[in-house]
Amino acid sequence: MYLKKVLWATAILGLLICGFVTYQIYTAIFGPNTQFNNEEAYVYIPTDATFNDVKTVVEPLLKNLSTFESVAKRKGYITNVKPGKYALKKGMNNNEIINTLRSANIPVRVSFNNQESLSALAGRIAEQIEADSVELVEAFNDPGFLDETHFDEDSKLGMYLPNTYEFFWNTSAEAFRDRMLKEYQRFWNENRLAKAKKLGLTPNEVTSLAAIVQKETVKPDERPRVAGVYLNRIRKGMLLQADPTVIFAIKKETGNYDTIIKRVLYRDLEMDSPYNTYKYAGLPPGPITMPDIASIDAVLNAEKHDYLYFVVDVSNFGYHMFAKTLAQHNRNKVQYTRWLNEQKVYR
């Protein structure tokens, strides 16, 4: 009788222990293990990260790191860490967390606009993907890549079309650059190439002119008209005489692209630079900024007219007054020069 009681007690105790262990295992795998209050939290796992690196990243987000590690071992994740950006949902259990980190790398939206140098672009992109600015600059300037793609020191800026793109966060510098080349090649389709050829311009020359047009006017609806002015001057063999090219020449010479120049002076027009369109005929050797796609299309679809000159319209800022003759242009220019002097804008 006593033995039977002992056996029953042992059996019950065993069942309790098994139940407790089963509960612990179930809780470790399927019980909620997040401790953040937002609906989701983003985790960034670097390239070549170890499981210890992952633990450092996720520890602030978890209630229990040891159960996370236990499940990670069971699922083979500790030897199969994958880099990327991952979204952990509030209330996720360890099983769901591991599954997410193993297979749910989410893309990031990468945007850039009108940088004037590749180093500025690198800084902008490095804020959005894993690659740092040094790696990006090296990739952008790689001699082998430039030689293979027929870009040079002056034209390489034009390969990068300002827009918003989707990348995985762990994209390398080379992969980013190569994707931008594909986007450039996709942009210059047969239709755009035909329009450029009709204008007598190469894609690089169209981009160079579009950069000038964009710097001249902030109004997209005016850009086709401004583009038409410069195309008229090119056809007549006139100097472009575009102030933004002079400003860029000064920045390029000094290496300080943050320089603010509101007024181009006569002495600036004597600067010996292929970007100085007051001194050298034709288009500059490359773009002075990254023009928007809309600006490139404004050149390809330039307005047809007889204007050869334009100047800021102080009665309607953002827009310009256009002229067909130099005499008319000089009359228009008086109002702008007077306004600059009144505002004491001397540089």
Side-chain angles (χ1 to χ4, degrees):
M1 190 71 173
Y2 175 77
L3 180 60
K4 184 180 290 187
K5 288 182 179 180
V6 170
L7 290 173
W8 273 108
T10 302
I12 292 170
L13 180 61
L15 287 172
L16 290 174
I17 293 173
C18 287
F20 178 76
V21 170
T22 301
Y23 173 77
Q24 291 293 97
I25 294 173
Y26 180 89
T27 301
I29 298 175
F30 299 109
N33 193 29
T34 62
Q35 64 172 359
F36 50 85
N37 295 321
N38 294 334
E39 287 304 309
E40 62 182 12
Y42 293 109
V43 171
Y44 297 86
I45 307 298
T47 299
D48 298 327
T50 65
F51 182 65
N52 284 333
D53 297 322
V54 174
K55 288 196 295 181
T56 300
V57 172
V58 302
E59 184 174 12
L61 305 174
L62 304 182
K63 293 179 182 177
N64 191 319
L65 185 64
S66 63
T67 59
F68 167 78
E69 183 172 5
S70 176
V71 175
K73 288 179 180 178
R74 287 175 178 271
K75 295 177 73 71
Y77 175 72
I78 61 173
T79 57
N80 191 28
V81 172
K82 296 182 178 180
K85 176 184 178 182
Y86 302 92
L88 302 186
K89 306 291 184 180
K90 182 179 179 179
M92 270 186 167
N93 58 49
N94 286 322
N95 188 61
E96 293 169 328
I97 293 170
I98 298 301
N99 287 343
T100 296
L101 296 179
R102 198 161 57 178
S103 61
N105 191 4
I106 61 176
V108 296
R109 292 172 67 82
V110 176
S111 300
F112 60 94
N113 45 26
N114 312 117
Q115 277 70 35
E116 294 182 356
S117 67
L118 288 180
S119 59
L121 173 64
R124 179 80 180 93
I125 300 305
E127 296 172 351
Q128 302 173 78
I129 64 174
E130 182 183 16
D132 65 35
S133 57
V134 173
E135 293 170 332
L136 286 161
V137 167
E138 289 178 351
F140 297 162
N141 293 310
D142 178 65
F145 173 80
L146 294 176
D147 183 61
E148 182 181 342
T149 55
H150 307 294
F151 287 98
D152 58 27
E153 182 64 27
D154 294 303
S155 65
K156 61 187 178 183
L157 186 68
M159 194 192 87
Y160 301 87
L161 296 170
N163 211 333
T164 299
Y165 304 92
E166 279 196 351
F167 285 91
F168 287 116
W169 174 77
N170 54 302
T171 298
S172 69
E174 291 78 10
F176 173 82
R177 176 202 65 196
D178 294 347
R179 164 76 180 282
M180 289 297 96
L181 174 62
K182 290 181 180 178
E183 295 292 342
Y184 177 86
Q185 293 169 335
R186 184 179 296 115
F187 174 81
W188 282 104
N189 54 32
E190 290 185 10
N191 182 46
R192 287 192 174 97
L193 288 172
K195 288 181 177 181
K197 185 177 181 180
K198 190 173 181 179
L199 294 174
L201 301 176
T202 65
N204 178 55
E205 289 171 330
V206 171
T207 303
S208 296
L209 180 51
I212 296 173
V213 169
Q214 181 160 303
K215 284 291 187 178
E216 289 283 19
T217 177
V218 297
K219 302 294 186 180
D221 60 319
E222 192 185 51
R223 287 173 183 166
R225 177 166 291 189
V226 172
V229 170
Y230 284 121
L231 288 170
N232 287 343
R233 295 179 75 89
I234 290 172
R235 292 186 187 106
K236 289 181 176 292
M238 299 172 65
L239 292 171
L240 294 187
Q241 296 183 325
D243 286 1
T245 66
V246 178
I247 294 171
F248 179 80
I250 295 170
K251 292 180 177 181
K252 188 174 178 66
E253 178 71 20
T254 62
N256 183 6
Y257 290 91
D258 295 324
T259 302
I260 297 176
I261 299 175
K262 296 181 178 180
R263 187 171 186 172
V264 173
L265 307 178
Y266 285 112
R267 68 170 182 265
D268 298 330
L269 306 184
E270 297 303 317
M271 184 175 186
D272 189 15
S273 166
Y275 285 91
N276 181 358
T277 56
Y278 278 84
K279 195 175 184 69
Y280 289 90
L283 288 159
I288 61 175
T289 191
M290 295 174 187
D292 292 337
I293 288 173
S295 294
I296 297 175
D297 283 337
V299 173
L300 294 175
N301 301 282
E303 185 178 310
K304 292 180 172 60
H305 53 60
D306 296 324
Y307 295 127
L308 291 171
Y309 308 91
F310 62 93
V311 67
V312 172
D313 184 353
V314 298
S315 66
N316 189 16
F317 274 108
Y319 288 95
H320 295 77
M321 300 175 70
F322 293 81
K324 297 178 181 179
T325 67
L326 181 57
Q328 182 185 2
H329 173 65
N330 286 335
R331 289 194 296 271
N332 291 341
K333 193 167 68 172
V334 169
Q335 49 92 43
Y336 181 53
T337 303
R338 182 187 301 120
W339 181 85
L340 286 174
N341 292 334
E342 288 173 352
Q343 300 300 313
K344 297 182 179 180
V345 177
Y346 301 124
R347 187 52 169 156

